[in-house]
Amino acid sequence: MAQEKLYLKGDKLLDISNYEFKSIKNALRIGREKTIKKVKDSGLKGRGGAGFPTGIKWEMAAEVEGKEKYVVCNADEGEPGTFKDRYLLEERPLKVLEGIMLAAYAVGADKAYIYIRGEYSKSIEIFSEIIETAREKKILDANLFDSDFKLELKLIRGAGAYVCGDETSLINSIEGKRGRSRIKPPYPIEKGLFKQPTVVNNVESLCCAAEVLNPDSEEFSELGIKGSKGTKLLCLSGDLNKPGLYEVEFAQITLAEIIYDLGGGIKGNEDLRFVIPGGISTAVIKAEDLDFPYSYQAFEKRGSSLGSGAVIAVSKKHDLIDLMLNVSRFYMDETCGTCFPCREGNRQINKILNAFKEEDRKIETELISDIGNTIRLAARCGLGQSSLNFITSVIENYGKELKFGGKIYA
Ligand SMILES: Cc1cc2nc3c(=O)[nH]c(=O)nc-3n(C[C@H](O)[C@H](O)[C@H](O)COP(=O)(O)O)c2cc1C
Ligand code: SF4
C-alpha cells in the first residue's frame, strides 16, 4: 500500500562524490526558460502548506527586476506533527541542495539561504557538511560545470518560533530582525530579503523540482491527477498503530486507507473520532467521512487542506476540550503579537475554553465563531488566519455533544 516512488526508495543521498547532479546539469543544458516551463508543466504545487504552483512562483521571480535575487529554502518545519523535511535534510540532503540550485538558476539568483529549524541539530550538522564539501568540490561558489552560474549558499539556524516558518517572518529573521510577519503586498518575489526579489520554497517542493528536472525520471507528472501531481510525504502520528513517514501518490489512496492500512488502524482497539489532515492549522475530517482520494482538491471541497502533510489520528479516548485547549495554548504562545485580533483573540478563546472546562459552563460557540471570523479577516499572516480552523471545526462537528455535558468520553 505504501507508494514509495520518489523519496523513500533507494539509498541515502549523502556522498557528494557519487552524486551526479543530473537535474541541475539538465537545467543548465536546456536553459532558464525551459527549466521554468518544465516545472510549470509538471503541475508541482508548493509542499509548505499553501500549495502555490512552484513554476508560476519561479516565473514571476525570474521576470522581476532586482539588483540581487535570493532563494530561501524554508526548513523551519514548525507545524506540529510534521517531520518530513527533517528526513529529507538528513537522508536526501543532496537532493535538497540540488533543488536550491535549480530554483536559484531558474530565477537568476546567485545567493541562497537555507533556514533550518533550530532544534534540528543533526539536520544542521549534516547540511553544514554538505555545504562545506560542495564548496571544496567547486559545486558552490564556483562557475558550476563550466557554466556562468554560481551560487553562494548560507545556512541559518532558526530561533524556535512557529511564526518564523511564515515566509515574511523568516525573511525578517534572516535579516536579524524580530520574527514577525510583514504586510503583503509587496510579496517576497517583488521585495523580499534585503528588499530584493526572493523566492521562498519548502524543502519538499525543492526536492520535487529536482525530480521534475531529472532527465532519467519522467515520473513526476505522470503521478497523481490534474491539480495534484506527484507524490506527497506524509507524517502519520496520533493514535495509530504504525505512525511514521510514508510517501503516497496523489489520488491513488484514500484518507481511510492512509489511516487503516498505512497507519495500521487505531491503537488499543479504540474508535477513531476524527483526523487532523495537515497539521493543527487545518480543519478536522470526521472518522465517518474518510473515504475519498488524497488530493489538494478533495480537501478543499471538504473545507480543509492537506497542509504540511501531518496526518494526526485522534481517537475517542481524548477529551475534546483538552484537545482544543492544547491547540489554543499553542496559538496563544506562538502569536507574534503584531495584530491585535490575533494576539488578543487567541487569548480570549483560551479563556472561554478554560471557563467551559473548569466551570462546566455552556460553551459560547457563537462568541468563538465571532472571534474566529474577526481574526481570520484582520490577521496579517497565515498563523492568525488559520489559528481557529481546528477549534471551529471541532465545534461545528461536535458542538452538540459539547453543549450537553462538558467533558465527553464516548
Ligand atoms: C505560521 C506559518 C508557519 C509556516 N511554517 C512553514 C514551514 O515550517 N515550512 C514551510 O515550508 N512553509 C511554512 N509556511 C508557509 C510559508 O509561508 C510559505 O508559504 C512556504 O514556505 C512557501 O513554499 P512552497 O511554495 O514551496 O510551499 C508557514 C506559514 C505560516 C503562516
Ligand atoms: S496574524 Fe498573528 S502571528 Fe501573524 S502577524 Fe498578526 S499577530 Fe503576528
Side-chain angles (χ1 to χ4, degrees):
M1 184 56 67
Q3 300 152 314
E4 298 175 358
K5 304 261 182 195
L6 304 176
Y7 305 111
L8 298 188
K9 69 171 188 194
D11 298 330
K12 291 184 183 185
L13 298 175
L14 291 163
D15 180 5
I16 211 162
S17 314
N18 286 321
Y19 190 73
E20 295 181 73
F21 289 96
K22 285 183 183 170
S23 306
I24 183 72
K25 280 182 187 157
N26 187 26
L28 291 170
R29 191 177 54 77
I30 63 176
R32 293 198 158 87
E33 269 177 37
K34 283 192 181 150
T35 299
I36 292 176
K37 186 169 180 324
K38 265 190 172 284
V39 177
K40 258 174 81 178
D41 291 349
S42 74
L44 169 61
K45 286 183 175 171
R47 306 299 200 229
F52 192 83
T54 307
I56 294 181
K57 193 186 274 189
W58 289 11
E59 186 175 56
M60 291 193 292
E63 283 166 3
V64 178
E65 295 287 322
K67 200 166 72 197
E68 300 261 25
K69 282 186 192 174
Y70 293 93
V71 164
V72 177
C73 173
N74 188 344
D76 194 52
E77 194 152 70
E79 182 68 36
T82 317
F83 43 84
K84 62 177 180 88
D85 293 342
R86 188 174 82 187
Y87 161 82
L88 293 169
L89 293 166
E90 293 177 9
E91 306 227 349
R92 301 290 187 272
L94 289 167
K95 181 91 66 186
V96 181
L97 173 66
E98 197 173 19
I100 297 171
M101 291 161 81
L102 273 173
Y105 172 67
V107 307
D110 60 5
K111 291 194 174 59
Y113 286 82
I114 178 162
Y115 186 97
I116 304 184
R117 184 186 169 116
E119 293 91 333
Y120 283 4
S121 302
K122 190 172 168 203
S123 312
I124 290 170
E125 194 185 311
I126 290 174
F127 215 86
S128 303
E129 269 175 37
I130 290 285
I131 293 178
E132 213 168 291
T133 325
R135 279 193 193 122
E136 281 163 20
K137 301 238 172 237
K138 308 259 178 278
I139 287 164
L140 287 172
D141 297 329
N143 288 92
L144 187 66
F145 310 126
D146 297 324
S147 70
D148 64 350
F149 171 62
K150 59 178 173 183
L151 183 67
E152 196 184 300
L153 174 62
K154 288 193 182 138
L155 187 151
I156 304 281
R157 185 182 195 128
Y162 174 57
V163 74
C164 283
D166 164 71
E167 55 188 6
T168 60
S169 306
L170 185 144
I171 286 170
N172 272 344
S173 179
I174 295 177
E175 289 181 2
K177 297 178 182 144
R178 195 177 142 193
R180 44 162 56 163
S181 298
R182 294 178 179 178
I183 292 173
K184 292 190 273 192
Y187 291 91
I189 44 166
E190 304 156 84
K191 207 173 181 188
L193 193 56
F194 308 117
K195 299 194 172 68
Q196 300 303 315
T198 303
V199 162
V200 181
N201 270 136
N202 171 257
V203 173
E204 188 185 352
S205 316
L206 293 168
C207 288
C208 290
E211 214 53 58
V212 170
L213 265 297
N214 183 349
D216 287 352
S217 145
E218 292 294 310
E219 256 185 310
F220 188 93
S221 315
E222 287 160 20
L223 297 170
I225 54 168
K226 191 165 184 272
S228 298
K229 285 290 186 186
T231 65
K232 180 79 192 80
L233 287 176
L234 299 185
C235 314
L236 300 197
S237 70
D239 301 315
L240 290 171
N241 284 313
K242 292 195 295 171
L245 186 68
Y246 295 87
E247 181 177 10
V248 300
E249 179 181 348
F250 277 114
Q252 303 308 309
I253 188 165
T254 64
L255 188 54
E257 287 165 334
I258 288 170
I259 296 298
Y260 293 104
D261 297 337
L262 292 189
I266 308 305
K267 267 197 294 208
N269 284 330
E270 296 281 346
D271 288 327
L272 179 72
R273 192 194 296 278
F274 56 72
V275 173
I276 307 171
I280 59 161
S281 54
T282 59
V284 305
I285 307 281
K286 289 170 87 166
E288 47 277 35
D289 298 334
L290 306 182
D291 207 10
F292 62 88
Y294 186 89
S295 69
Y296 285 99
Q297 49 270 52
F299 283 105
E300 205 180 310
K301 209 167 135 191
R302 287 159 180 82
S304 190
S305 151
L306 59 83
S308 61
V311 179
I312 307 168
V314 181
S315 78
K316 288 187 177 169
K317 76 174 180 196
H318 299 284
D319 182 337
L320 287 175
I321 290 294
D322 283 345
L323 289 171
M324 289 195 284
L325 269 169
N326 199 341
V327 170
S328 153
R329 257 193 310 271
F330 174 80
Y331 283 107
M332 202 171 67
D333 289 345
E334 294 295 338
T335 168
C336 82
T338 308
C339 322
F340 176 75
C342 172
R343 182 181 74 228
E344 188 55 26
N346 276 302
R347 205 171 69 85
Q348 289 302 325
I349 297 283
N350 190 262
K351 221 168 134 186
I352 295 169
L353 292 171
N354 260 318
F356 179 68
K357 184 176 166 71
E358 280 159 22
E359 298 161 26
D360 212 14
R361 283 211 316 234
K362 188 176 164 194
I363 193 160
E364 295 172 82
T365 51
E366 270 180 36
L367 185 56
I368 290 183
S369 157
D370 268 4
I371 296 173
N373 285 336
T374 310
I375 301 177
R376 240 174 247 130
L377 286 170
R380 182 187 282 194
C381 85
L383 186 149
Q385 286 154 8
S386 58
S387 58
L388 265 291
N389 285 348
F390 172 80
I391 291 170
T392 49
S393 68
V394 168
I395 291 174
E396 258 164 42
N397 287 301
Y398 304 99
K400 286 204 180 74
E401 295 173 58
L402 293 173
K403 272 180 202 160
F404 291 122
K407 289 185 190 173
I408 52 165
Y409 299 96

